Amino acid sequence: MDSSPKPERTRLTAEDWEVAALQLIADQGVGALAVEALARQLGVTKGSFYWHFRTREALLQAALERWEQYGENEVLGQIEQIADPRQRLPELFRRVAHELQPHRVYAALLKALDHPLVVPVMARVSQRRTEFLHTAYREAGLPPREALNRARLTYAAYVGFLQLNFTLGLPRINHEEFDGYVEHMIATLIPA
Amino acid sequence: MDSSPKPERTRLTAEDWEVAALQLIADQGVGALAVEALARQLGVTKGSFYWHFRTREALLQAALERWEQYGENEVLGQIEQIADPRQRLPELFRRVAHELQPHRVYAALLKALDHPLVVPVMARVSQRRTEFLHTAYREAGLPPREALNRARLTYAAYVGFLQLNFTLGLPRINHEEFDGYVEHMIATLIPA
DNA sequence: AGCAATCCATACTCATCCGTATGGACAAGT
DNA sequence: ACTTGTCCATACGGATGAGTATGGATTGCT
């Protein structure tokens, strides 16, 4: 009857499995990445999975690569286009603070640093982001050495924030108080 | 021959299992906490375990309680005895930075925030430590609101640091550079 | 229409790990 | 010496989840 109006009941591709895997990772963590569960969620069975991937770890590998490639420039790309270097860091802070959605996978991966496959990925991503902060701080006027330490400190604060307020449900800070916290971060971490 | 010179080949107690569990958690994470593995490590079998504990989760629960109670005042207790409030925070920073051993369990638990049993424990511990920082910052001269935000920022930096440099093996910063980072933290986070 | 490649369902095997059942070893009390 | 309570070994049952084997369904190509 209908050729392909809805994406339902269509054959699946490897990409479909990868994005579904990332979704599941963001929701329930890497440990919950089971093939039968994913298959049920996609409306198929294991038979489908093992045609597209050789093993469970192969899917995780592919999903991580996809996340590392396509999910990277979501925030950083926009920031680089801000002309005034002194405006970049405050703007970066505010955007990261209010667009917590893209950070859910990162937060989930932070809890899976046991797994050998995620460690190198997180190492590369963290390294790149820290370097981004490093140059941003230099352009803001800090001497190189101090800029590097400040970048490390800032990124550590970011990571810790994710753990404490995202994963953990700490005292559920409300919106106004949260904005106050962000502005406090900007005031203490960014040179005037 | 010998009644009890070596602790080897002696009957085990519940405490033995709990400290062994914490050791295993620090080394390989909460996910690696399996009763048969622990039993092998202790030189016994499952039969011993299920005499002392009703279930695997009971052991985890007991181990977490033990850690929360006895492992808490290792650092904070000493700090409170420092007379000058202005000296407390720098000293706290330096000690925490150089005594990373007691923080291995905390780092491991940070990666197990999926588990329902560890979430409330980590919430309480993080809450208490943040409050400790809060009062420390007030005693250092910051107004209450700013002191609270600074405490949150500091603790987030601590948590993020554990994740990045402890769990993850980031560029393996050397000793001198690390000391430089700690001093930079002190300079930027602690009011003069 | 007919063929071949692609995609998936069904039905297994196998390993792991929690928990149980039961009997034996060892200590202490009487 | 005999019993009793404590601690542990051995041997099982059962659930879960990865991976395999194989045939059926669907699509694209000619």
Side-chain angles (χ1 to χ4, degrees):
Chain A
M1 306 303 178
D2 43 12
S3 54
S4 64
K6 305 172 185 177
E8 300 192 28
R9 201 39 48 193
T10 299
R11 320 281 275 273
L12 294 179
T13 167
E15 288 192 18
D16 296 330
W17 286 95
E18 296 172 9
V19 301
L22 285 176
Q23 182 66 39
L24 199 154
I25 288 175
D27 289 340
Q28 308 184 33
V30 176
L33 184 60
V35 310
E36 304 201 41
L38 246 188
R40 275 194 302 272
Q41 184 178 314
L42 287 174
V44 291
T45 64
K46 301 165 52 168
S48 171
F49 176 83
Y50 284 100
W51 192 92
H52 294 284
F53 297 93
R54 213 174 57 79
T55 172
R56 191 202 96 124
E57 299 234 309
L59 169 66
L60 178 57
Q61 179 101 39
L64 291 177
E65 287 180 4
R66 165 171 296 272
W67 174 75
E68 186 178 1
Q69 280 199 338
Y70 294 85
E72 191 66 6
N73 298 331
E74 286 186 20
V75 178
L76 269 52
Q78 305 174 356
I79 299 297
E80 279 180 330
Q81 296 175 351
I82 297 178
D84 186 6
R86 294 185 180 277
Q87 289 298 324
R88 282 183 194 168
L89 282 170
E91 193 58 30
L92 173 62
F93 279 34
R94 294 195 179 92
R95 292 198 186 181
V96 169
H98 291 289
E99 298 175 12
L100 285 184
Q101 193 64 18
H103 305 266
R104 294 183 63 218
V105 175
Y106 187 88
L109 261 41
L110 228 36
K111 298 185 294 185
L113 253 34
D114 317 69
H115 201 107
L117 283 180
V118 318
V119 171
V121 176
M122 295 296 277
R124 284 194 297 270
V125 170
S126 301
Q127 179 68 23
R128 274 197 292 270
R129 293 182 178 179
T130 301
E131 285 174 358
F132 179 86
L133 286 173
H134 184 194
T135 67
Y137 273 120
R138 276 190 307 177
E139 289 174 352
L142 260 58
R145 196 48 154 294
E146 201 173 345
L148 179 56
N149 283 328
R150 188 66 61 88
R152 287 176 178 143
L153 175 57
T154 301
Y155 197 70
Y158 161 71
V159 169
F161 173 81
L162 284 185
Q163 291 280 337
L164 293 176
N165 295 271
F166 213 73
T167 301
L168 202 54
L170 270 204
R172 267 304 167 229
I173 190 170
N174 61 34
H175 265 60
E176 321 163 29
E177 204 175 356
F178 175 71
D179 291 340
Y181 173 72
V182 174
E183 295 305 320
H184 179 86
M185 269 191 59
I186 294 176
T188 56
L189 292 179
I190 300 180
Chain B
M1 307 305 173
D2 44 13
S3 54
S4 64
K6 305 174 184 177
E8 300 192 29
R9 199 41 46 194
T10 299
R11 319 280 275 270
L12 293 179
T13 168
E15 289 192 18
D16 296 330
W17 285 96
E18 296 172 8
V19 301
L22 285 176
Q23 181 66 40
L24 199 154
I25 288 174
D27 289 339
Q28 308 182 34
V30 177
L33 184 60
V35 308
E36 306 201 42
L38 244 189
R40 275 193 301 273
Q41 183 179 314
L42 288 175
V44 292
T45 64
K46 301 166 48 168
S48 172
F49 176 83
Y50 284 99
W51 193 91
H52 294 284
F53 297 93
R54 215 175 56 78
T55 171
R56 191 203 94 124
E57 300 235 310
L59 170 65
L60 179 57
Q61 180 101 38
L64 290 177
E65 286 180 4
R66 164 170 296 272
W67 175 76
E68 185 178 2
Q69 281 199 338
Y70 294 85
E72 191 67 4
N73 297 331
E74 287 187 19
V75 179
L76 268 55
Q78 306 174 357
I79 299 297
E80 279 180 331
Q81 296 176 351
I82 297 178
D84 185 6
R86 294 187 180 275
Q87 289 298 323
R88 282 184 194 167
L89 282 170
E91 193 59 27
L92 174 62
F93 280 33
R94 294 195 181 92
R95 291 197 187 181
V96 169
H98 291 289
E99 297 175 13
L100 285 183
Q101 193 62 19
H103 306 266
R104 295 184 62 219
V105 175
Y106 187 87
L109 261 42
L110 229 35
K111 298 185 293 186
L113 253 36
D114 317 69
H115 200 108
L117 283 181
V118 317
V119 171
V121 176
M122 294 295 277
R124 286 193 296 271
V125 171
S126 301
Q127 181 69 23
R128 276 197 292 270
R129 293 181 178 180
T130 301
E131 285 173 359
F132 179 87
L133 286 173
H134 184 192
T135 67
Y137 272 120
R138 276 190 308 179
E139 290 174 350
L142 259 58
R145 196 49 156 293
E146 200 173 344
L148 179 56
N149 282 329
R150 187 66 61 88
R152 288 176 178 143
L153 175 58
T154 301
Y155 197 69
Y158 161 70
V159 169
F161 174 80
L162 283 186
Q163 291 281 338
L164 293 177
N165 295 270
F166 213 72
T167 301
L168 203 54
L170 270 204
R172 269 300 167 233
I173 190 170
N174 60 35
H175 265 61
E176 321 163 29
E177 204 174 356
F178 176 70
D179 289 341
Y181 172 72
V182 175
E183 295 306 319
H184 179 86
M185 268 191 61
I186 294 175
T188 58
L189 291 180
I190 300 179

